[in-house]
Amino acid sequence: MNSEELKLKIQALVDNELDEAEIPTIMDEIEGSYEMRNEYVELLRLRRRLSAIPFPEPPEEWFEKAARRRGRRLFGWTGNLLFVGSYVALLGYALLTLIRGSEASTWVKVGVAGIAAGFIVLLLRAIADRIRESRTDKYKEVMK
Amino acid sequence: MSETIRASLQLDAELIRSAQGGDREAFGRLILRYARRIYRAVYFIVRNLEDAKDITQETVYRAYRSLERFDPAKPFYPWLHQIARNLSLNYIARAEHRNVGLPEEELIASRMVDPEAVAIRSEEAASLYRAIDRLNPDHREIIMLKSFGDCSYAEIAEILGIPIGTVMSRLYNARMKLKSILLRENAK
C-alpha cells in the first residue's frame, strides 16, 4: 500500500467507513509513523470541527409533522387547476365566438388571437424545457 | 457493506413498498428517517431557516407524488437528496430569493446561553462557511454531502454518479484544500 492509498484508508477510518478486517492493519500503520499519526489527528480534528458547525434547526416535532404533512399543497393545486381551467375555457369560448363571425372589432379579435397564441407558445416552451431537463437528469423520475 | 447498512436499506425497501401500496404511515416513517439530513443539506445551500423548512417540506411532497415510480431496490436517500438539491438550486437561482451569505447568527445564538460562547461559535461558524464557500464546486459539494448531509461513501457515489474510489480521493482532496484555507485564515 503506498502513502496515498494509506491516507485514503485513514480517512475511511475517520469516517467509520473502513472494513472491520482492515482496522487493525491501518491502526498499526498509524501508530508506526509520525506522518500518518499526524494525518489521522488532522482528519479527525477537521471532521469534528465541521460536525460542530451550529445549524439553526427546527425542533423534532417539526420533522415529525413534515413527514406526515402531504396534502398541504392540495389546495394550491386546486387553485391552479381552477385558474388555468377557467382561463382555457374562457379563451376557447372567445375563439369560438370569433370564428363563428362575431361583430367584435378587429382589435378585440387580434387581442384574443394574441392571447391564445401566447398561451400555446408558453405551453410549448414549458414542455420543451421539461424534455431538455429530463434528458440531462439521471433521476428522470424526479419532478423538478 | 456492513450489517447495519444492509439492515437499514432493507427497512427502507420495506417501507417504500408499503408506502407504494398506499400505507401513509409507512411513508411518514420513511421520511422521518431522513428529514433531518435533508433539512441540513438544504440549509447548507439556501442558508436560511424558513426557506430550508419550506424546501424540506416541498421535498417530502414531491417524493410522495413520485414514489410510485421509485424502484425500492435502489437506495432511497440519494433519490430524496437529489429532489431536495434540485429544489434548493432552483430556489437560489431565482434572483429575488438569492441568499447565500453567512448563516443566521442570531438563530444560532438563540440556542446558546453564554454570550462569549455565542460570539466564539458564531465566528467559528462564519469562518468555516467562508472557507467552504471558497472551495471549488466539486469540493464544496462533497464536503456538504459528507459533513452536513451525513452521507456514506456509497450514497455520495450514487448521488454524484462516480465510483467510491473517486469519492474517497475527491473528499480527501477537498478536506486538504479546506484545511489549507482555514490555516491561511487563521494566520491572518
Side-chain angles (χ1 to χ4, degrees):
Chain A
M1 196 185 311
N2 66 33
S3 164
E4 292 309 307
E5 285 169 347
L6 183 56
K7 284 177 181 175
L8 295 186
K9 295 277 185 190
I10 291 172
Q11 176 183 245
L13 177 69
V14 168
D15 289 330
N16 294 320
E17 294 260 4
L18 196 62
D19 283 343
E20 271 183 41
E22 285 186 282
I23 293 175
T25 316
I26 302 304
M27 288 306 289
D28 285 348
E29 294 278 1
I30 291 169
E31 279 167 21
S33 153
Y34 173 78
E35 187 197 348
M36 293 306 155
R37 203 159 52 241
N38 196 42
E39 187 75 24
Y40 177 65
V41 170
E42 287 292 322
L43 281 168
L44 210 55
R45 193 174 289 159
L46 185 63
R47 183 174 180 264
R48 282 184 187 152
R49 202 172 165 189
L50 284 169
S51 64
I53 287 189
F55 268 89
E57 274 189 325
E60 188 60 34
E61 303 85 67
W62 184 86
F63 289 102
E64 285 169 11
K65 280 184 188 162
R68 285 170 176 78
R69 209 184 298 139
R70 295 164 301 264
R72 194 177 67 112
R73 291 299 180 90
L74 185 66
F75 292 112
W77 280 103
T78 310
N80 285 345
L81 203 68
L82 278 172
F83 178 78
V84 175
S86 308
Y87 182 82
V88 170
L90 210 60
L91 203 59
Y93 177 75
L95 279 171
L96 214 63
T97 310
L98 286 177
I99 290 164
R100 283 179 178 167
S102 90
E103 290 176 1
S105 78
T106 312
W107 286 111
V108 174
K109 289 180 181 177
V110 169
V112 172
I115 292 170
F119 181 78
I120 291 165
V121 168
L122 287 175
L123 192 68
L124 291 175
R125 174 81 187 270
I127 292 168
D129 283 348
R130 277 292 171 91
I131 292 170
R132 199 178 320 118
E133 278 175 14
S134 73
R135 277 183 187 152
T136 54
D137 189 354
K138 70 176 184 137
Y139 290 92
K140 289 191 171 67
E141 68 271 31
V142 178
M143 292 169 67
K144 290 195 176 183
Chain B
M1 191 188 293
S2 78
E3 273 305 311
T4 320
I5 295 173
R6 197 172 293 126
S8 173
L9 290 174
Q10 201 176 336
L11 177 59
D12 278 356
E14 283 167 16
L15 290 171
I16 290 164
R17 281 194 201 94
S18 301
Q20 285 174 333
D23 183 346
R24 293 183 174 201
E25 191 59 37
F27 180 77
R29 280 179 61 201
L30 179 68
I31 290 296
L32 200 52
R33 283 163 60 75
Y34 298 106
R36 199 171 283 275
R37 285 172 71 186
I38 286 296
Y39 166 83
R40 284 181 164 232
V42 170
Y43 181 82
F44 184 79
I45 299 174
V46 301
R47 310 277 173 89
N48 177 290
L49 175 79
E50 288 307 318
D51 294 342
K53 280 164 70 178
D54 284 349
I55 294 169
T56 303
Q57 185 68 71
E58 182 69 17
T59 303
V60 173
Y61 172 71
R62 299 273 177 124
Y64 185 68
R65 278 177 58 200
S66 310
L67 195 70
E68 264 178 36
R69 287 168 280 165
F70 182 75
D71 176 4
K74 287 184 178 176
F76 183 67
Y77 182 75
W79 180 73
L80 193 64
H81 179 96
Q82 199 69 23
I83 299 176
R85 181 177 178 274
N86 287 341
L87 287 170
S88 307
L89 294 178
N90 285 348
Y91 180 82
I92 61 165
R94 281 182 276 153
E96 69 271 25
H97 290 133
R98 195 175 294 274
N99 181 13
V100 288
L102 298 173
E104 300 142 315
E105 292 183 13
E106 73 281 7
L107 281 163
I108 294 169
S110 72
R111 304 173 80 208
M112 301 174 184
V113 183
D114 179 7
E116 199 178 339
V118 169
I120 291 167
R121 291 208 64 187
S122 293
E123 180 46 40
E124 163 76 356
S127 152
L128 275 168
Y129 273 99
R130 269 198 306 271
I132 292 166
D133 287 343
R134 284 171 62 191
L135 294 171
N136 73 40
D138 282 351
H139 285 170
R140 192 161 52 231
E141 178 149 49
I142 205 160
I143 288 284
M144 186 274 285
L145 288 167
K146 186 70 205 156
S147 304
F148 306 104
D150 205 18
C151 292
S152 66
Y153 290 172
E155 286 172 337
I156 297 174
E158 176 70 23
I159 290 167
L160 299 180
I162 54 177
I164 286 186
T166 310
V167 169
M168 291 170 76
S169 54
R170 190 182 292 178
L171 182 61
Y172 182 80
N173 291 333
R175 280 170 164 161
M176 290 303 108
K177 186 73 192 168
L178 184 62
K179 196 177 94 178
S180 78
I181 292 172
L182 286 166
L183 278 174
R184 257 182 282 144
E185 276 235 348
N186 290 345
K188 279 180 190 171

